Structures are given as C-alpha cells and as structure tokens.
Amino acid sequence: VSTQSTWGGIGEEGGMCIGYMIMYIKSVLEKLELRGNFLQSRGVTDVFRAVRRSATLRSIDVFDNKFSDTPELIEVLRELFEHNQKLDSYNLGGNHLSDTGATALVQGMVGHTHLKEVFVPERCSGKTFEALEFQLNSGKGKKKRGKKKGK
C-alpha cells in the first residue's frame, strides 16, 4: 500500500498532519511519496519523527521538499535509521543537504545493515557518495547464521 502527494504544495504545517496520520491511524502504508512539496525542515522533521513509529513503512521519498540539514533534522534521521529497521529506502535528493550533513548521515548509518537505499542531493562531493556507497554495501552479502538442525 502506498500514498503519494507529489508536487501538491503541502507546506511545513502539513508535516505534523501527515505525522499524526502515520502515528495514530493503524496504517498498512509501505511507501510514502511526498516529493515536490514545501515541507521544509520543520515539516519533514515532523514526518520523520512520526515515521519512527511505523511498523509497515519501507520507503519514504521526500525529494525536493526545500529542507536543509539542520542539526535537529540530522539527529532525527539518525534516530530513524536506528529505531525503524523496516524502513530501508530514503530519497532525500533535491534538498539542501551539504557534504557536512550528508557525512553526518553516513556516520549515523554505521551498523544499520537494513538500509538499502539512501539518496542524497547530487551536489554532494564524490567523497561523500563513495562513503555512502561503502556504508550501504557493508550490509550486503552477510548471511545470518541460524542454529543447525538437531542442536
């Protein structure tokens, strides 16, 4: 199940409303597409806080929502990486994330091998993209070991 409100003009106040829907309604939402809105830093932070509680969401797309890498936003995203293991795909592209902010996110990804896709703005440096790719690939190919039969 997915929902999308792309290029719809949702402002920063809308982030809290979307957050309430995600937190308080028994949602089976797996994909949330909010690209091209005007959530800005406050609105997208509200959405990320709410998504932390989602048991079903696997993908979030906030491409081009005019947010920047405020310390609060970076911290909320890092907490989201840690606390929502089902959510494995993030599209943060088209926003105002600096190399410093993107690097802080990459550092927050360490040890979170559930992450499959994290897209950052194309203006980030090659070094940032290399670190991001390295971190995303660090969880691939690792098999979980279970108990052998009969033991």
Side-chain angles (χ1 to χ4, degrees):
V1 176
S2 69
T3 190
Q4 88 182 90
S5 177
T6 56
W7 315 107
I10 299 172
E12 62 184 352
E13 308 83 26
M16 187 176 294
C17 296
I18 292 167
Y20 287 150
M21 289 187 317
I22 293 168
M23 282 192 300
Y24 298 117
I25 297 172
K26 293 194 180 209
S27 175
V28 293
L29 191 64
E30 294 178 2
K31 186 175 185 180
L32 181 59
E33 294 182 27
L34 296 169
R35 64 176 33 222
N37 286 289
F38 297 91
L39 288 171
Q40 301 179 1
S41 297
R42 189 183 94 199
V44 82
T45 298
D46 289 339
V47 171
F48 289 150
R49 278 198 178 106
V51 165
R52 180 177 172 178
R53 299 179 188 203
S54 174
T56 58
L57 195 66
R58 295 188 141 348
S59 174
I60 187 165
D61 182 346
V62 290
F63 182 91
D64 191 25
N65 267 275
K66 291 87 176 154
F67 64 85
S68 59
D69 52 3
T70 64
E72 180 184 22
L73 178 80
I74 297 299
E75 184 61 30
V76 167
L77 266 170
R78 289 175 61 136
E79 289 172 1
L80 186 54
F81 292 160
E82 180 179 349
H83 294 288
N84 190 330
Q85 303 285 309
K86 294 231 183 224
L87 183 55
D88 60 16
S89 177
Y90 296 77
N91 188 345
L92 310 173
N95 292 290
H96 306 288
L97 292 179
S98 66
D99 273 326
T100 303
T103 298
L105 289 179
V106 171
Q107 291 168 348
M109 293 167 59
V110 173
H112 303 298
T113 57
H114 68 283
L115 296 170
K116 293 180 184 172
E117 297 177 325
V118 178
F119 296 103
V120 297
E122 57 282 347
R123 359 179 222 287
C124 289
S125 72
K127 185 176 179 180
T128 299
F129 280 102
E130 288 173 15
L132 179 61
E133 185 176 348
F134 176 81
Q135 192 55 49
L136 289 171
N137 289 330
S138 70
K140 292 181 180 176
K142 294 184 179 181
K143 295 181 180 177
K144 292 183 181 178
R145 293 186 179 186
K147 294 181 179 179
K148 292 183 180 180
K149 291 182 180 180
K151 294 202 177 189

